[in-house]
Amino acid sequence: MASSSGTSSGSSTAIQNSGSDDQEDLQALMDQRKRKRMISNRESARRSRMRKQKHLDDLMSQVDLLKKDNHQILTNINITTQHYLTIEAENSVLRAQVDELTHRLHSLNEIISFMTTTSSTTGVFDATSHDDTTITSFYTPEPVMDNFLMNPLNLSYLNQPIMASADMFQY
């Protein structure tokens, strides 16, 4: 019996040793898995930081490109605005000249109208043709012409300068 109890106690010690070996193996396996997970997590975090840095670098490059584009667009807007202002000033001068020339034309038409009404009552209007060229002459008695030229209101229509210039219309 003693031998059987010794065997049973020896076998129980072997089971205990085997159980503790299993626990140690299990603990070692868990430690190894924990280390692998920790290494894997570190590698994943490193890759994540690298992706984040690359994304940040890409965004910074895009910001620089957009700033450059924005500067180019602003430069183009400024150049276009200067061209617009120059053309607007030129247009203002041309409008003033058109108004002045229209006024002169109206005045000249009034003079012609006055002279034709005067010639129809006192003068002779002659249109003759020589070799496909029409020569128009207007004959009036001297007193009518003298009265016309001596009238100060009629002299105001002659040779009035155009006074508009680009400097007058700059903003």
Side-chain angles (χ1 to χ4, degrees), residues 93-159:
V93 169
L94 290 173
R95 283 187 199 103
Q97 289 175 346
V98 164
D99 289 344
E100 178 64 28
L101 290 173
T102 302
H103 177 69
R104 282 187 181 186
L105 181 62
H106 181 66
S107 299
L108 290 173
N109 283 335
E110 285 180 1
I111 291 170
I112 290 172
S113 173
F114 174 76
M115 293 180 83
T116 54
T117 57
T118 305
S119 71
S120 66
T121 58
T122 59
V124 178
F125 189 84
D126 183 26
T128 57
S129 176
H130 298 285
D131 300 333
D132 296 331
T133 306
T134 302
I135 300 174
T136 305
S137 57
F138 184 78
Y139 302 103
T140 60
E142 286 299 316
V144 173
M145 278 306 261
D146 287 340
N147 286 339
F148 177 74
L149 292 176
M150 297 308 286
N151 186 347
L153 294 176
N154 292 336
L155 291 176
S156 67
Y157 296 124
L158 301 174
N159 295 331

Side-chain angles (χ1 to χ4, degrees), residues 24-90:
E24 287 176 13
D25 288 342
L26 186 59
Q27 186 65 32
L29 184 62
M30 288 175 63
D31 287 343
Q32 185 180 8
R33 286 182 183 168
K34 191 175 185 181
R35 263 185 275 153
K36 279 184 180 179
R37 200 171 343 133
M38 196 167 49
I39 290 170
S40 175
N41 286 346
R42 283 181 185 162
E43 184 63 27
S44 177
R46 186 184 66 77
R47 285 192 309 263
S48 176
R49 282 191 304 272
M50 288 177 60
R51 278 193 310 270
K52 192 175 184 180
Q53 186 62 45
K54 184 182 180 320
H55 183 65
L56 184 63
D57 291 344
D58 290 345
L59 289 176
M60 293 302 288
S61 296
Q62 190 175 6
V63 165
D64 290 340
L65 181 65
L66 290 173
K67 281 182 180 179
K68 183 179 175 184
D69 288 348
N70 192 30
H71 178 71
Q72 184 69 32
I73 289 169
L74 288 175
T75 301
N76 288 343
I77 287 173
N78 288 335
I79 290 170
T80 303
T81 300
Q82 287 301 317
H83 286 158
Y84 169 77
L85 292 175
T86 301
I87 290 171
E88 188 63 31
E90 290 173 5

